[in-house]
Amino acid sequence: MNINDNFSKLQESYLFASIAKKVKEHSQTHPDKNIIRLGIGDVTLPLAPAVVNAMQNAVLEMGDMATFRGYGEEQGHSFLRDAVCGYYAKKSVAIESGEVFISDGAKSDIGNILDIFSTDNVVLIPDPVYPVYMDTNTMAGREILFMHGNEGNGFLPLPDKNTKADIIYLCSPNNPTGAVYDKEKLKLWVDYARESDAIILFDSAYEAFVRDESLPTSIYQIEGAKECTIEFCSLSKTAGFTGTRCGYTVVPHGLLRGGASLNELWLRRQTTKFNGVPYIVQRGAEAVFSDEGLAQARAGIDYYMENARIIADALTGLGIWFAGGENSPYIWLKCPDGMSSWGFFDYLLERAGVVGTPGAGFGAGGEGFFRLTAFGSRENVIAATQRMKEL
């Protein structure tokens, strides 16, 4: 019996597990210290009333023999898939119900989608970016190349015709930098993928935070994207589903590679290894896309974006360079005085009791930078920025 040796190539622990361990150790030695967490991107507002009502009604249905449901449709219930299609229609994007797959979140699908691709594919990943992209491909043993984001390119790297890749990860708005691709830059990526017969895996988990109407919130708003892109989205940040768990992936019917339909391959994979999202949760997700639900979700997003503004104003007053915050819940700041990202993490934790995320955890290009999230309570955000000003 042999294990998968590729796991030995991973960092010892997942980034956010390492942060949690450090915070726990600090709390044990400083039990009276009030720690403010602006590190992990976990929401703090409760579910919207429309969602709660829908889920409560679904619970009652499940408690009545006449309306009880067992196994659901394998791609997700049609009522939710149709609601997702309606949401895309508001973006002037036509999506068919059979192209939508309901899941328990974008993170799962971004890792699981790799099952339908050969391990000899070369993968191109942004640096810095969400660590799951790299870790899941490292586990599979794929060759990984990097496109480097930096201050010079606004942390929005563009295609290099000298680089050949089969699978390309894009995240916009980007986690952790908050940078957002405009239509012209996304078109360059779509053209590059089509020319090289590559597949783009597009993570749009934070699309609902884009305020600038000129910026795309789906890659399918770009001509030709349906020929080369799978798009992932989540209700975790859009509607506070981090603990409720629901997302969706769009695989266009016309997306073909090697003579095979990727939609059919993904359907086969999901029906074999996934039994779907609970009916009660799917009813709650359906309510998110109602007029009432969208308005309530927008109110929550407005709350977090006001938090982002408060953090941004504080950093501006301190003379600290940062990006993000305008169309994203993340603020990506340059560590002051040339500090390393983990050094600044320790400094903020020990001196101010504020937790953020070291940029180095998002790739080598993140060294010297630091991520703060706007997902805290207003009280905590104000307190954290005040502590930073005093420090």
Side-chain angles (χ1 to χ4, degrees), residues 55-218:
M55 294 179 71
Q56 287 175 333
N57 290 334
V59 169
L60 294 176
E61 287 183 52
M62 295 296 280
D64 187 330
M65 183 173 290
T67 52
F68 172 80
R69 295 174 183 245
Y71 289 122
E73 298 170 70
E74 292 169 324
Q75 276 183 255
H77 287 286
S78 58
F79 61 75
L80 179 51
R81 290 186 282 119
D82 290 344
V84 172
C85 292
Y87 183 63
Y88 272 93
K90 295 178 187 294
K91 306 171 185 279
S92 299
V93 174
I95 296 293
E96 298 176 15
S97 180
E99 296 175 321
V100 178
F101 296 79
I102 305 302
S103 73
D104 62 356
K107 180 178 179 179
S108 299
D109 279 3
I110 287 171
N112 293 334
I113 196 73
L114 296 173
D115 281 2
I116 70 174
F117 298 113
S118 170
T119 55
D120 61 7
N121 283 309
V122 177
V123 180
L124 183 60
I125 297 176
D127 178 11
V129 81
Y130 190 42
V132 169
Y133 306 164
M134 180 174 175
D135 287 355
T136 51
N137 281 284
T138 299
M139 290 173 182
R142 290 185 181 84
E143 179 184 354
I144 299 173
L145 305 177
F146 296 98
M147 45 177 147
H148 298 286
N150 51 55
E151 290 180 72
N153 59 26
F155 290 97
L156 294 169
L158 295 175
D160 179 353
K161 293 188 181 296
N162 295 318
T163 300
K164 177 65 176 73
D166 305 297
I167 299 172
I168 303 164
Y169 284 83
L170 295 178
C171 180
S172 181
N174 180 276
N175 178 11
T177 68
V180 186
Y181 280 104
D182 61 24
K183 292 181 179 179
E184 291 72 25
K185 290 184 173 66
L186 271 188
K187 185 65 165 62
L188 294 175
W189 277 112
V190 168
D191 291 344
Y192 170 81
R194 293 173 68 190
E195 291 168 7
S196 58
D197 206 33
I199 292 293
I200 295 173
L201 303 181
F202 189 77
D203 184 352
S204 64
Y206 301 93
E207 55 86 21
F209 289 84
V210 175
R211 297 295 187 86
D212 186 339
E213 294 183 358
S214 71
L215 296 173
T217 55
S218 167

Side-chain angles (χ1 to χ4, degrees), residues 101-109 112 234 236 241-242 244-248 270 274 276-278 281:
F101 296 79
I102 305 302
S103 73
D104 62 356
K107 180 178 179 179
S108 299
D109 279 3
N112 293 334
S234 166
S236 287
F241 273 53
T242 51
T244 307
R245 308 308 307 151
C246 193
Y248 52 91
Q270 290 296 80
F274 182 60
V277 177
V281 172

Side-chain angles (χ1 to χ4, degrees), residues 261-275:
S261 162
L262 298 192
N263 181 286
E264 293 178 3
L265 292 179
W266 183 235
L267 177 62
R268 185 68 175 87
R269 188 270 175 206
Q270 290 296 80
T271 54
T272 301
K273 302 174 79 170
F274 182 60
N275 257 355

Side-chain angles (χ1 to χ4, degrees), residues 26 30 32-38 318 339 343-356 370 372 380-391:
H26 183 81
H30 302 80
D32 297 328
K33 197 169 188 178
N34 177 29
I35 304 297
I36 299 177
R37 292 170 171 81
L38 299 180
L318 291 167
M339 296 179 72
F344 188 58
F345 173 90
D346 291 335
Y347 180 74
L348 266 188
L349 176 61
E350 293 169 7
R351 299 286 297 276
V354 174
V355 177
F370 199 77
L372 294 173
N380 280 345
V381 167
I382 292 173
T385 54
Q386 184 58 38
R387 290 183 189 183
M388 292 174 68
K389 290 175 183 178
E390 292 170 358
L391 182 62

Side-chain angles (χ1 to χ4, degrees), residues 291-309:
D291 291 341
E292 181 184 19
L294 287 172
Q296 292 170 356
R298 172 54 61 184
I301 291 169
D302 288 345
Y303 178 92
Y304 293 131
M305 293 306 289
E306 175 62 13
N307 283 349
R309 185 198 64 78

